[in-house]
Amino acid sequence: MTQITVAKQSGFCKGVEFAVNTALNLEAENVYVLGEIIHNADVVKLLEEKGLKTVEQLSCIPDGATVIFRSHGVPKNYYSICASRSIKVVDCTCGFVKRTQSIVEEQSAQGKFIVIVGEPEHPEVTGLLGWCAGNAAVVNDFNNIPCELETKDLCIVCQTTFSAEKFEKIIKNIKKLCKKTVAVFKTICYTTIRRQHETENLAKNCEAMLVVGGLNSSNTNKLYELASKYCKNVFRLANANDLDYSELKNFKSIGIVSGASTPNAQTREVLLKMEENTEVKATMADVVAKIDNESKFKRGQIVQATISKATDEGLQILLPFSKKEIALSKDELDCEQYNADDYMDKIGETIDLLVVELKPVLKLSQKMIKMLKEEEALSADIEAGKEFSVVCTGTNKGGLVAQMGTYSVFVPAKEIRPGFVKDLTKYEGKTLRLRALEIKKTGRKEIIASQRVILQEEYDAKEAEKQALEQNFFSNIAVGDIVEGKVERTTGFGAFVSVNGFDCLAHISDLSWTGTESVKDVLEIGKTYKFKVLKIDEESKKVSIGYKQLQPQPWDLVGDKYTVGEVIHGKVVRIVPFGAFVEVEKGIDGLVHVSQISYDRIETPASVLNVGDEVDAKIIALDTEMKKMNLSIKALLPEPERKPRSNKTEDGEGETRRSRAPRRSDDEFSNWSEGSISVGTSLADIIANAKKNK
């Protein structure tokens, strides 16, 4: 006897179903589909018979027409092109694809290099490329990763129907190659993942597999590849016409899966054709449930039904291969509160129902399936310590209570989490992650469980992982190393930088050679910079790094910026007995020696200059190696005239002698008021005023 098993995740996915139904419900006049609505020849033919035209290029669509964008999506500029040509767009892009488009657009705008994992020629991939603002690459082979990715900041997304197993291998190899940041977005459709997992399980447990769907369907072909990996006898069918039962009759177990672009009708046709063979008629009841024959249902059997209508009393559903609707009471639905409007967009979807009663009328229930599943979960796995979840429904004096199927669940207060829990009521309505400590199956069925053991294990595992990472970090770093780190947060005394996942401190004094009042004046949170390792203290788990040590010092650039003879403008920053230091720029001070302040004799620099005065001075000496710059203010002042004078000797004979200018006394400047020298007053004006006052 042959056992036939049909995968639950078979037939149209929600995105494909929406696109096909939208196309079928449109008036066909002047309506075009850009590319095949789905990769299924039968569906494409059906739309063509309805009058819809399939084209491959926008240029083939006349102005003013209507275009359907299929679930694969299109490049971003297609929307503006259609708007400019008055083409009405009916957008059937899958929600998962739209999410990927948004990710690509946002990450690309931030300067990330986009990597799309998928088939280069697949329409979804070509559409995604049209949402990239910068460079992008398509990868579909984990053994052929482009070398150019090594130096890029990457954003990785995936074709929604790509192989999940292959995607993980590609990601692993890219991370090994890339030396910069790698942001991974797992954009494979969850329906695709579930479909692939179910295909894998069926292939492992069946002697033969049938994969039904369009031969040019990417997701169906991936199911075929996956099934072939675990089963030696896999048959690829476009539809029931491709079925040759003579190839199957000797197999005791056969699994059937279909792609996301395969209508349920095609899978049913395959099942009906198999039923025509007497060898399998006895077992097809488990698959087809005897068309329109409710009496063949068995209590406890799970059937798959299609939602056809939603009313205030509940749903109307169609059983497999039946045209007769059956009422499903809202009380039997698995929902917290029934609302007909919530099910309007689910019409056409299938749900699993349990046969509860056969007479006097057939009674089906969805919520009983959930209860049975919860009951089944109390089998070997949970008894062996597997984690399970429940929603806390209340409290008592000793802890929290919940319900799981026909079992009551009790969590003692000490088992809620590590440490003391003072307020138990805050857990009401919250989901608890539990592990069974004791299961009472007789009398009042009860599970005594603990959440604390799970949280404690996770904490211990995280601590162990942290210690391993720290050990690896300190084993691979040394003082003097140049490292790359991302600024995570800043404080008044410095920045905490993540280097290979470890927090290092860049002290504010090690950010700039000229000093800074705020870390944010030098470093920006979220950005990556290069730093030099200055100090490592493995015992206290502290690493000090410096940013300024990799930047040129101000004096390193002086030789290229200044030359002897050049005039600078600066501010007096400090005064010493032998002169004044003038700040030429931040980090560069020049010395004006007391002899270079004025042509006249000055007792002290402070008698002429004040800290904060702005002055012009000429560079008269420059030694970059010694970090010395000598300046002169008097070199910019007019040199005073020196006039000779005649003197007679006592004997009356005339004799001309060169006389020296009389030395001025300190009293000559005693009439300067203390605040008479203003900032910016030239030294020439100061001296002129002094002479005038005398």
Side-chain angles (χ1 to χ4, degrees):
M1 183 179 293
T2 303
Q3 179 181 352
I4 308 296
T5 306
V6 180
K8 292 181 179 180
Q9 298 295 329
S10 290
F12 284 168
C13 67
K14 195 169 184 179
V16 168
E17 184 177 35
F18 173 76
V20 172
N21 288 340
T22 299
L24 289 172
N25 291 326
L26 283 176
E27 293 294 332
E29 185 178 357
N30 207 24
V31 176
Y32 296 78
V33 182
L34 187 60
E36 292 184 346
I37 190 76
I38 58 172
H39 297 311
N40 187 285
D42 292 350
V43 175
V44 172
K45 183 179 178 181
L46 177 64
L47 293 180
E48 289 176 347
E49 291 173 350
K50 178 179 170 63
L52 277 75
K53 305 173 187 66
T54 299
V55 297
E56 295 299 326
Q57 308 245 343
L58 273 179
S59 58
C60 299
I61 302 175
D63 294 353
T66 297
V67 62
I68 299 175
F69 288 163
R70 56 187 172 178
S71 58
H72 299 309
V74 297
K76 184 179 180 180
N77 66 333
Y78 278 30
Y79 293 91
S80 57
I81 292 173
C82 290
S84 66
R85 296 178 52 202
S86 300
I87 297 175
K88 180 183 177 182
V89 173
V90 178
D91 193 0
C92 293
T93 304
C94 169
F96 286 97
V97 176
K98 284 186 175 181
R99 173 176 173 264
T100 310
Q101 290 173 346
S102 298
I103 292 171
V104 166
E105 183 180 27
E106 179 182 344
Q107 294 290 312
S108 183
Q110 294 176 8
K112 294 290 183 65
F113 187 95
I114 305 301
V115 177
I116 302 172
V117 177
E119 303 298 333
E121 304 301 323
H122 193 277
E124 179 185 332
V125 174
T126 57
L128 288 174
L129 288 171
W131 290 82
C132 299
N135 294 326
V138 179
V139 178
N140 70 338
D141 185 353
F142 52 82
N143 289 321
N144 188 19
I145 308 298
C147 294
E148 63 176 325
L149 304 185
E150 182 178 357
T151 59
K152 308 288 186 183
D153 287 327
L154 304 181
C155 164
I156 304 177
V157 296
C158 187
Q159 177 185 326
T160 56
T161 56
F162 200 70
S163 165
E165 181 181 5
K166 194 173 179 182
F167 176 67
E168 292 298 332
K169 290 181 179 180
I170 290 174
I171 293 302
K172 184 178 180 180
N173 286 354
I174 289 178
K175 286 184 175 180
K176 287 181 180 178
L177 173 69
C178 186
K179 296 180 179 179
K180 293 200 171 184
T181 57
V182 180
V184 179
F185 296 87
K186 297 183 178 181
T187 53
I188 298 178
C189 168
Y190 68 84
T191 304
T192 299
I193 296 174
R194 289 208 301 259
R195 197 184 301 260
Q196 291 174 359
H197 286 168
E198 192 171 8
T199 299
E200 179 181 332
N201 291 333
L202 275 177
K204 287 178 179 178
N205 294 287
C206 293
E207 293 182 2
M209 290 287 294
L210 303 183
V211 182
V212 185
L215 299 181
N216 61 337
S217 167
S218 173
N219 73 84
T220 308
N221 288 332
K222 286 182 179 64
L223 295 180
Y224 175 77
E225 293 173 5
L226 186 61
S228 300
K229 184 176 179 180
Y230 299 100
C231 181
K232 296 180 179 179
N233 307 294
V234 183
F235 301 87
R236 184 75 168 83
L237 311 177
N239 49 45
N241 295 331
D242 294 338
L243 176 66
D244 182 359
Y245 183 71
S246 64
E247 297 178 328
L248 305 174
K249 61 183 180 180
N250 293 324
F251 297 115
K252 294 182 179 180
S253 58
I254 301 173
I256 303 176
V257 296
S258 58
S261 55
T262 306
N264 288 335
Q266 285 188 344
T267 305
R268 290 174 182 171
E269 288 172 5
V270 172
L271 293 171
L272 290 173
K273 188 171 181 179
M274 293 177 72
E275 190 182 27
E276 292 173 3
N277 297 273
T278 56
E279 293 89 345
V280 295
K281 273 188 176 180
T283 60
M284 289 302 292
D286 293 334
V287 182
V288 184
K290 293 301 180 182
I291 300 173
D292 291 333
N293 190 350
E294 294 178 7
S295 63
K296 296 297 181 180
F297 288 122
K298 296 180 180 180
R299 185 183 288 108
Q301 179 183 359
I302 294 178
V303 297
Q304 196 172 66
T306 302
I307 300 172
S308 58
K309 189 184 298 183
T311 67
D312 292 339
E313 287 72 32
L315 303 179
Q316 294 291 319
I317 53 100
L318 286 170
L319 292 172
F321 305 100
S322 173
K323 295 182 180 180
K324 181 181 178 182
E325 290 183 337
I326 295 177
L328 179 64
S329 170
K330 62 183 180 182
D331 296 331
E332 298 300 332
L333 289 169
D334 181 16
C335 59
E336 293 183 5
Q337 186 172 359
Y338 175 77
N339 187 333
D341 293 338
D342 295 338
Y343 285 85
M344 289 300 180
D345 60 346
K346 296 183 180 180
I347 293 175
E349 292 186 6
T350 57
I351 56 174
D352 288 337
L353 299 173
L354 179 74
V355 178
V356 180
E357 299 289 345
L358 296 174
K359 296 179 181 180
V361 293
L362 181 66
K363 181 180 178 181
L364 304 171
S365 175
Q366 185 186 38
K367 72 177 183 180
M368 284 299 295
I369 294 179
K370 179 181 179 182
M371 183 173 289
L372 284 177
K373 287 181 178 179
E374 291 174 345
E375 295 282 338
E376 290 173 4
L378 298 175
S379 59
D381 285 343
I382 287 187
E383 289 187 39
K386 185 177 179 180
E387 178 182 327
F388 65 98
S389 298
V390 295
V391 176
C392 175
T393 57
T395 66
N396 60 26
K397 292 181 179 180
L400 308 177
V401 295
Q403 196 72 24
M404 186 171 188
T406 58
Y407 281 80
S408 60
V409 180
F410 174 63
V411 183
K414 67 177 182 178
E415 297 295 340
I416 298 174
R417 63 171 176 81
F420 177 71
V421 177
K422 184 177 181 179
D423 184 9
L424 296 176
T425 59
K426 68 180 182 180
Y427 288 93
E428 292 183 10
K430 301 291 181 64
T431 299
L432 304 174
R433 301 169 54 207
L434 303 174
R435 186 174 298 162
L437 301 177
E438 182 183 354
I439 301 177
K440 299 177 181 179
K441 296 183 178 181
T442 57
R444 180 174 175 268
K445 296 193 293 185
E446 183 182 34
I447 303 171
I448 300 174
S450 170
Q451 182 173 249
R452 179 189 60 79
V453 292
I454 297 174
L455 299 179
Q456 187 64 53
E457 285 176 2
E458 290 178 344
Y459 174 80
D460 293 342
K462 189 177 293 185
E463 284 297 303
E465 182 182 2
K466 180 181 176 183
Q467 290 178 11
L469 288 173
E470 287 179 352
Q471 184 176 358
N472 181 64
F473 174 79
F474 283 106
S475 298
N476 293 281
I477 195 169
V479 172
D481 284 354
I482 307 301
V483 296
E484 199 171 66
K486 181 181 178 182
V487 180
E488 297 290 349
R489 59 194 186 280
T490 63
T491 66
F493 56 83
F496 285 95
V497 180
S498 177
V499 177
N500 294 329
F502 187 86
D503 264 3
C504 302
L505 174 64
H507 195 272
I508 192 169
S509 62
D510 288 312
L511 299 184
S512 173
W513 289 111
T514 58
T516 182
E517 293 183 359
S518 172
V519 175
K520 294 180 180 179
D521 291 340
V522 181
L523 303 178
E524 185 177 337
I525 293 177
K527 283 197 173 182
T528 300
Y529 303 87
K530 288 186 177 180
F531 299 87
K532 186 173 184 179
V533 179
L534 305 178
K535 184 180 179 182
I536 299 174
D537 187 344
E538 186 172 355
E539 186 176 345
S540 62
K541 307 299 181 187
K542 292 180 180 180
V543 175
S544 298
I545 55 177
Y547 179 72
K548 74 178 184 181
Q549 286 76 8
L550 300 180
Q551 313 305 318
Q553 297 189 41
W555 274 99
D556 294 339
L557 306 175
V558 166
D560 297 328
K561 297 168 67 174
Y562 302 100
T563 58
V564 174
E566 184 178 349
V567 177
I568 61 90
H569 181 81
K571 181 189 292 185
V572 178
V573 290
R574 61 188 185 280
I575 296 174
V576 294
F578 55 84
F581 285 93
V582 176
E583 184 182 63
V584 179
E585 64 175 61
K586 200 165 185 181
I588 305 296
D589 291 348
L591 171 64
V592 182
H593 192 269
V594 65
S595 64
Q596 294 297 325
I597 296 177
S598 172
Y599 283 102
D600 292 328
R601 179 177 176 277
I602 297 175
E603 292 293 336
T604 64
S607 64
V608 179
L609 299 174
N610 295 311
V611 172
D613 286 352
E614 294 185 8
V615 298
D616 292 326
K618 186 176 183 180
I619 301 174
I620 58 175
L622 183 61
D623 187 340
T624 56
E625 291 186 6
M626 298 298 293
K627 299 182 181 179
K628 291 183 178 181
M629 179 186 290
N630 292 338
L631 305 174
S632 175
I633 295 176
K634 78 176 186 180
L636 302 180
L637 301 175
E639 188 174 354
E641 296 181 2
R642 299 187 182 277
K643 296 180 181 180
R645 68 180 183 181
S646 297
N647 291 320
K648 290 184 179 182
T649 62
E650 293 180 358
D651 57 11
E653 293 183 2
E655 181 180 351
T656 301
R657 292 185 301 179
R658 191 166 192 168
S659 61
R660 288 181 295 177
R663 183 175 179 180
R664 284 184 169 88
S665 67
D666 294 342
D667 294 337
E668 291 178 273
F669 301 92
S670 61
N671 58 353
W672 287 5
S673 63
E674 185 177 348
S676 62
I677 303 176
S678 60
V679 175
T681 303
S682 71
L683 197 57
D685 291 337
I686 295 171
I687 295 171
N689 288 333
K691 291 179 178 179
K692 181 179 177 181
N693 291 334
K694 181 179 179 183

